[in-house]
Amino acid sequence: MPLSLPVASLLVGVLLWSFLRFVRSVVKKSPLDNIPGPASKSFLKGNFEELANPDLAFAFHRKISDHYGGIIKVHGPFQQKILYVFDPKALHHIAIKDQHIFEESDAFIAGNKLIFGDGLLGTIGDHHRKQRRMLNPVFSNAHMRDMVPIFYDVTYKLRDAISQLASQGPCEVDLLSWMSRTALELIGQAGLGYSFDPLLIGAPEHPYVESTKMLIPLISRLLFFRQYVLPWIHHIGTPRFRRWLLDVLPWKDAHELRDIIDVIYDTSITIYDSKKEAFAKGDGKVTDQVGGGKDILSILMRANMEAAAEDKCPESEVIAQMSTLIFSAMDTTANALARVLHLLSENQEAQDKLREEIIKAREEHHGELLFDELVSLPYLDAICRETLRLAHADAVLPFSKPVRGIDGNLMDHVMIPEGTPLLMSMLSSNTNPDLWGPDSYEWKPERWLSSLPETVLSAKVPGVYSHFQLEMKGKNIIWRMNNIAAPSVDGGLEPELPLMVELVKKPKA
């Protein structure tokens, strides 16, 4: 079947772009030429497959970080030079000190706009900062204190369901499914004033749960297209034309992504319209909803209505903020909870110690723990902790540890040409032996119960938490490196975490 004119034009454009990039990479000298790194596997893919393959990437990231140190040159498709960074001083400059220079890539922004709209993940610069300012109040400790009763209400439903499943003895439970349902209900009630799921055994999952569960693996499969093709085509024609083109293309992954985005958008519109209708009837109707009007969406909509004209966000942006919030909070929360539960299932001593700390605290405070009491539990805090930006102008990036260049000379900085892609590896930073010591790859909550090494305290690395502190070694459970790490059985494509669950027998008095 002959190619349609739009598809043929797209292929010609991509081929021409790749050829020009190849010529430029061969002819033009770059300051990155002297940075050491692994050899490119191929002209077409570079190191892309090694960096992004869900089943192989963990080992590759560890291999290059151990061998080359905190500043590494890797290759993208068509020999594009990419700077792989986990040196703490360099990370500080990229993420904090010079963040106005290092912005997210066009591919990152274009992809997020297609999925979520013009929310936090789809904007940069002053537009992004304006949105953040409007959201700041809802992430304060004061607001989190108001949310604790909602968290208890939801988690008690989870407790009752799991207890019922295990009431007849030990049983296998897919805890990722239950964590996903719980995370969505938590963000639904606390974030949106909306209930998605009664958390009852046998109750069907909300379509949003299944959609978001499959979104991250799907985005990973489309990563090459998103990074190297989408920035060139996402603005072509009208939205109606782009939708038509997507519908006629014989591309299963793209059609699955389309359907997931439709579920995300339709869900967001339903919730927003319900909240908008409640506001139209007066604040009394808002406070009658789940969350009592203290949920993030109610606060955001109220603040937007009261804002000066120049500070107001369009309705489409508020909906995009909501879509971004639901997905980000649900998927990261569900996978983080699953990660902790899997680690605890393999570390009985840590599991017993944590349970003992919580039981003792509840006895001392005569029941439920309030926000300040929860965050002050040292071992719980220790366990929680142990768990592509683009340069928009030439910049000098300093290193905390000198790098020996390919020419044999030591370098304590490098000039980053405008347009250089940067890959910030928090995975390698969070397991860097220079910061954490020789046991950096071990899961040891106890490291947070005493003074951290001075190398960690002085690093000033943003977000130093061990999301990928340990390679998972549970029987048949393999964590795949998607955009957000997710568990699977024997490396299968379906995210799941089946663990044996049993009720704890209370000791006899």
Side-chain angles (χ1 to χ4, degrees), residues 239-436:
R240 183 185 295 272
F241 168 76
R242 294 194 293 269
R243 178 69 182 225
W244 170 83
L245 184 61
L246 175 61
D247 290 341
V248 300
L249 281 175
W251 191 358
K252 183 174 181 290
D253 281 347
H255 290 172
E256 286 183 15
L257 181 60
R258 173 201 60 196
D259 295 342
I260 287 173
I261 293 173
D262 285 347
V263 170
I264 292 174
Y265 180 76
D266 292 344
T267 302
S268 299
I269 289 293
T270 299
I271 296 171
Y272 183 82
D273 285 348
S274 171
K275 187 71 67 178
K276 187 178 177 181
E277 182 180 343
F279 269 110
K281 293 178 179 178
D283 274 353
K285 287 295 182 182
V286 178
T287 55
D288 286 344
Q289 291 187 321
V290 174
K294 295 181 179 180
D295 58 276
I296 293 173
L297 180 58
S298 294
I299 294 172
L300 181 60
M301 291 177 68
R302 190 178 288 113
N304 199 44
M305 289 187 290
E306 296 171 355
E310 63 272 15
D311 293 329
K312 284 184 184 292
C313 290
E315 196 172 71
S316 60
E317 284 191 18
V318 177
I319 295 172
Q321 295 282 47
M322 182 174 57
S323 299
T324 304
L325 173 69
I326 302 173
F327 170 75
S328 300
M330 193 203 106
D331 222 56
T332 53
T333 300
N335 283 281
L337 288 170
R339 190 85 172 185
V340 169
L341 291 173
H342 188 197
L343 285 164
L344 288 173
S345 74
E346 296 182 322
N347 293 268
Q348 188 63 47
E349 184 178 345
Q351 186 180 152
D352 293 342
K353 188 174 180 178
L354 176 61
R355 183 182 296 110
E356 182 181 343
E357 179 182 72
I358 293 173
I359 291 173
K360 183 178 179 181
R362 285 176 60 89
E363 289 174 350
E364 291 176 352
H365 293 92
H366 309 290
E368 292 180 353
L369 304 177
L370 302 178
F371 175 83
D372 294 307
E373 293 156 0
L374 277 168
V375 299
S376 66
L377 295 178
Y379 201 63
L380 175 61
D381 180 67
I383 282 180
C384 291
R385 288 179 181 270
E386 187 71 354
T387 330
L388 213 78
R389 289 182 169 265
L390 185 70
H392 282 253
D394 290 349
V396 174
L397 193 64
F399 312 150
S400 65
K401 183 178 179 181
V403 172
R404 188 169 297 280
I406 293 175
D407 62 5
N409 295 320
L410 289 176
M411 309 162 58
D412 60 8
H413 69 276
V414 66
M415 173 64 74
I416 305 294
E418 179 181 354
T420 298
L422 302 174
L423 180 57
M424 295 167 56
S425 178
M426 296 311 297
L427 164 64
S428 296
S429 176
N430 286 348
T431 53
N432 183 357
D434 288 340
L435 295 182
W436 299 94

Side-chain angles (χ1 to χ4, degrees), residues 42-307:
S42 72
F43 161 72
L44 182 62
K45 292 187 176 181
N47 303 114
F48 186 87
E49 194 165 82
E50 297 164 294
L51 288 164
N53 184 297
D55 299 312
L56 306 176
F58 274 119
F60 181 72
H61 282 257
R62 178 167 182 176
K63 177 183 175 181
I64 62 174
S65 63
D66 286 349
H67 186 74
Y68 295 104
I71 303 291
I72 307 169
K73 179 182 65 188
V74 294
H75 294 88
F78 315 116
Q79 301 306 296
Q80 180 186 38
K81 297 179 180 69
I82 300 174
L83 197 63
Y84 181 103
V85 180
F86 67 93
D87 176 276
K89 189 173 183 178
L91 286 177
H92 178 74
H93 275 255
I94 294 169
I96 299 175
K97 187 174 180 180
D98 295 326
Q99 61 173 280
H100 62 288
I101 296 176
F102 299 99
E103 295 278 15
E104 280 80 1
S105 68
D106 292 341
F108 180 87
I109 297 299
N112 288 331
K113 277 190 176 183
L114 283 178
I115 297 172
F116 304 114
D118 290 320
L120 274 176
L121 297 180
T123 58
I124 58 176
D126 291 338
H127 192 180
H128 178 82
R129 285 185 280 274
K130 173 185 172 183
Q131 292 180 338
R132 286 185 66 93
R133 282 197 302 272
M134 187 164 284
L135 283 172
N136 280 341
V138 301
F139 292 109
S140 66
N141 282 347
H143 185 254
M144 291 301 297
R145 290 185 180 92
D146 291 336
M147 295 295 99
V148 169
I150 293 177
F151 292 168
Y152 272 119
D153 181 60
V154 173
T155 52
Y156 283 157
K157 291 178 182 178
L158 172 66
R159 176 202 61 187
D160 293 343
I162 300 297
S163 297
Q164 185 178 343
L165 288 171
S167 61
Q168 302 302 313
C171 64
E172 185 178 276
V173 179
D174 180 7
L175 288 176
L176 181 62
S177 174
W178 280 100
M179 293 306 103
S180 298
R181 292 174 61 183
T182 302
L184 181 60
E185 185 63 7
L186 284 170
I187 193 58
Q189 292 199 24
L192 309 172
Y194 184 89
S195 179
F196 287 95
D197 192 331
L199 293 178
L200 298 174
I201 297 172
E205 283 187 342
H206 191 281
Y208 197 97
V209 173
E210 186 61 29
S211 294
T212 53
K213 194 189 301 181
M214 299 309 299
L215 178 58
I216 290 297
L218 188 57
I219 289 175
S220 295
R221 296 204 298 273
L222 293 169
L223 192 57
F224 183 91
F225 174 83
R226 173 179 176 171
Q227 194 66 34
Y228 296 100
V229 179
L230 184 61
W232 295 86
I233 66 170
H234 72 97
H235 57 279
I236 295 176
T238 64
R240 183 185 295 272
F241 168 76
R242 294 194 293 269
R243 178 69 182 225
W244 170 83
L245 184 61
L246 175 61
D247 290 341
V248 300
L249 281 175
W251 191 358
K252 183 174 181 290
D253 281 347
H255 290 172
E256 286 183 15
L257 181 60
R258 173 201 60 196
D259 295 342
I260 287 173
I261 293 173
D262 285 347
V263 170
I264 292 174
Y265 180 76
D266 292 344
T267 302
S268 299
I269 289 293
T270 299
I271 296 171
Y272 183 82
D273 285 348
S274 171
K275 187 71 67 178
K276 187 178 177 181
E277 182 180 343
F279 269 110
K281 293 178 179 178
D283 274 353
K285 287 295 182 182
V286 178
T287 55
D288 286 344
Q289 291 187 321
V290 174
K294 295 181 179 180
D295 58 276
I296 293 173
L297 180 58
S298 294
I299 294 172
L300 181 60
M301 291 177 68
R302 190 178 288 113
N304 199 44
M305 289 187 290
E306 296 171 355

